[in-house]
Amino acid sequence: MRARIAGVASHLPERTLTSAEVEARIAAESDGYRPYPTIVQRMTGIAARHVMADDEQASDLAVAAARRVLADRGHGPDRLDLLIFASASQDLVEPATAHIVAAKLGASCPVFDVKNACNGFLNGLQLADALIRTGQHERVLVCTGESPSRAIRWKVAGRAQFVDAFAGYTLSDGGAAMLVEAAPDGGIFYRDFTAVSTAWDAGTLPGGGSMHPRDPEFGYFSGDGRRLKDVLLATGPELFLTALAKTGLAWDDFAFIGVHQVTMPYLEVLRSVLGIPADRLVITLPEHGNLASASLPLQLDIALRTGRCGPGDLVAFIGLAGGVSLGVLLAEL
């Protein structure tokens, strides 16, 4: 049996925050430091990002998307064989947020979390594919709820700290869910992953683990954007171009190509290096920001709802976890 993508849904909080509002809040809370006007949008291409309500959790965003994809397929939560929560965010350190999602959704199947920054959702699909192919499960829900707004540094001591915290100003809250089912044909037919683990410290959210269990100063995103870009360009192209060589396909054969979107300049560099036709992309960054692991399923959801792709079409997913973890997955819808 093959693992076929049977449905996808996304959920974006109604509240949005513009890049101008981001800069204004930093200035208001930073005891004298003020970012250069328009720097966030000029550097990233992001005009707005989504912010979940104060009483919402990462699990709530995943549940909202999961309910929609199940309704679209005419399934109840009792039809699930496995639920994977694949997100950079979590409700708690323990237990697995997948348990909270399942409880809110009303599912009673086995569950577990997958965590690999922005590449987590693609790794969740990789696991769903393997478990379906080996006959262990027939219907798997892969879902995510991203809540990075809770870890943004607003009070900045100076330019150096602003640069270190800058990645957080690109991030957006959102949820997504994908239903993967056993099928005799179609489905996922290629997947490959790599990692540059020596660069693990180029982008971190340090608090909550054994290194920094309780210090609130480590509860904010920290990153080196230039280093992450260098790692991507040194490592990434070969993985993705090898996928085409091994399958005998070209980018033009795909109706939709999902690329994890960090900033518009970053996306354009990758598109140019790989030779991806611009008309195969669904650009979400300007209106929705960097949605971390929810970025790829959101793009496919939009592509399907706008008629950009449909049953029988080939689709590609290019995953980037800050350049530290890279993945490619190809499928027939």
Side-chain angles (χ1 to χ4, degrees):
M1 299 295 285
R2 305 282 289 274
R4 183 173 60 87
I5 297 171
V8 63
S10 56
H11 172 76
L12 300 174
E14 290 185 10
R15 181 189 169 199
T16 59
L17 193 67
T18 68
S19 289
E21 290 172 328
V22 167
E23 293 168 7
R25 181 170 176 182
I26 294 169
E29 297 191 21
S30 295
D31 297 331
Y33 179 77
R34 180 180 295 273
Y36 290 115
T38 74
I39 189 172
V40 173
Q41 186 164 346
R42 283 190 290 109
M43 293 289 290
T44 67
I46 296 170
R49 70 280 292 138
H50 297 268
V51 181
M52 65 189 195
D54 291 343
D55 61 351
E56 283 186 305
Q57 306 299 329
S59 58
D60 293 313
L61 305 179
V63 168
R67 284 176 175 152
R68 196 188 120 204
V69 75
L70 288 173
D72 288 347
R73 292 291 297 166
H75 294 319
D78 59 309
R79 299 289 301 279
L80 297 175
D81 298 326
L82 175 69
L83 187 152
I84 301 173
F85 182 77
S87 177
S89 302
Q90 57 192 16
D91 285 14
L92 305 166
V93 174
E94 282 292 341
T97 301
H99 287 293
I100 304 174
V101 173
K104 292 178 177 178
L105 192 60
S108 57
C109 58
V111 307
F112 58 81
D113 283 5
V114 172
K115 179 176 287 293
N116 192 16
C118 300
N119 229 27
F121 198 92
L122 211 56
N123 290 130
L125 286 182
Q126 177 191 17
L127 284 168
D129 175 47
L131 293 169
I132 287 174
R133 283 177 177 270
T134 54
Q136 297 180 65
H137 296 286
E138 292 186 359
R139 182 173 292 114
V140 180
L141 180 74
V142 182
C143 60
T144 180
E146 293 289 11
S147 56
S149 64
R150 302 279 166 87
I152 294 174
R153 184 187 291 277
W154 297 109
K155 186 176 182 179
V156 175
R159 182 180 180 278
Q161 194 170 62
F162 174 73
V163 171
D164 181 72
F166 191 80
Y169 308 131
T170 72
L171 295 170
S172 180
D173 297 341
M178 192 174 289
L179 200 60
V180 185
E181 298 179 343
D185 50 24
I188 298 168
F189 62 86
Y190 183 90
R191 80 293 299 151
D192 196 12
F193 295 83
T194 191
V196 187
S197 297
T198 52
W200 70 266
D201 57 346
T204 64
L205 178 53
S210 60
M211 286 186 181
H212 308 288
R214 296 175 185 86
D215 190 335
E217 181 61 23
F218 292 100
Y220 304 104
F221 287 105
S222 171
D224 183 339
R226 180 170 295 180
R227 183 181 173 198
L228 293 173
K229 181 179 177 181
D230 290 344
V231 171
L232 167 68
L233 293 179
T235 309
E238 182 180 355
L239 179 77
F240 308 123
L241 297 177
T242 297
L244 298 181
K246 286 186 174 181
T247 57
L249 296 169
W251 294 127
D252 284 332
D253 294 317
F254 295 88
F256 160 81
I257 301 171
V259 180
H260 175 57
Q261 299 175 21
V262 181
T263 69
M264 288 302 295
Y266 201 60
L267 176 62
E268 180 53 30
V269 167
L270 182 63
R271 189 200 67 77
S272 178
V273 168
L274 295 182
I276 297 173
D279 64 355
R280 299 301 195 274
L281 302 178
V282 173
I283 306 299
T284 57
L285 264 173
E287 295 181 354
H288 305 300
N290 176 0
L291 281 145
S293 67
S295 174
L296 290 175
L298 168 67
Q299 293 171 46
L300 180 60
D301 186 23
I302 293 172
L304 287 166
R305 286 190 280 114
T306 57
R308 298 276 298 274
C309 61
D313 283 335
L314 299 184
V315 298
F317 299 98
I318 292 176
L320 317 166
V324 176
S325 183
L326 310 174
V328 56
L329 187 146
L330 311 178
E332 178 184 343
L333 294 177

